Amino acid sequence: KRLKGNKGSLDEYKKSIKYLSIWLERYHKEKVIILIDEYDAAINEGYILGYYDEIINLLSPVLSSALKDNTSLKMGVLTGVLRVGGESLFSSFNNLDVYDVMSKNYNEYFGFTKEETEILLKHYNLEKTKEVDDYYDGYNFSGTHIYNPWSILNYANRRELQPYWMNTGSNKLVKDLLS
């Protein structure tokens, strides 16, 4: 209740995901899977807006308490575009596997496959046309063609071909690192 009301201590926030996993395991009587999507969005935003050190100092213990030495954890999955291996944010982790767009192990899970896209669009009474391919079949992960999930879902919902991926993120950190 204190966290929900923004009255928690910093330590409570840092351990919040771990506490939640403990309570979920107690209730459901099984280990939990923690999925953290776009963990790096906060890091990128912190870099752009000038609070990088603060976000790293918060995220590192949050992720560490949730994903390391958490007896309620079955498995954890992080997604993001910034590489995690060897970074100080993850220096306390061991048994960390990194799968990127060049990895064949999970290449079909980085978006929607052709078959999944066809099924999804059929559900919305839409067809996977050449125009849909031209707009949204933009990824090739180690030989597997993947459709942009954000764009396909928006297209199915709005029924209008648009570049929905535009303005969904910032490249400032990458641009600064390359210059």
Side-chain angles (χ1 to χ4, degrees), residues 102-113:
M102 301 306 290
S103 304
K104 291 186 179 186
N105 302 56
Y106 299 101
N107 55 359
E108 73 268 25
Y109 302 113
F110 284 102
F112 293 143
T113 64

Side-chain angles (χ1 to χ4, degrees), residues 71-127:
T71 58
S72 296
L73 182 67
K74 178 178 182 177
M75 175 178 65
V77 177
L78 293 171
T79 69
V81 296
L82 298 177
R83 187 168 176 87
V84 298
E87 299 302 321
S88 61
L89 182 64
F90 300 98
S91 61
S92 65
F93 293 127
N94 49 16
N95 303 322
L96 176 70
D97 287 328
V98 176
Y99 297 99
D100 61 23
V101 296
M102 301 306 290
S103 304
K104 291 186 179 186
N105 302 56
Y106 299 101
N107 55 359
E108 73 268 25
Y109 302 113
F110 284 102
F112 293 143
T113 64
K114 175 184 174 187
E115 294 77 17
E116 290 168 335
T117 301
E118 287 171 350
I119 292 168
L120 187 143
L121 292 178
K122 185 176 181 181
H123 177 77
Y124 284 87
N125 296 315
L126 294 167
E127 290 185 37

Side-chain angles (χ1 to χ4, degrees), residues 135-136 151 161-167:
Y135 262 85
Y136 308 128
S151 296
L161 287 169
Q162 294 291 324
Y164 296 108
W165 64 90
M166 300 293 283
N167 300 319

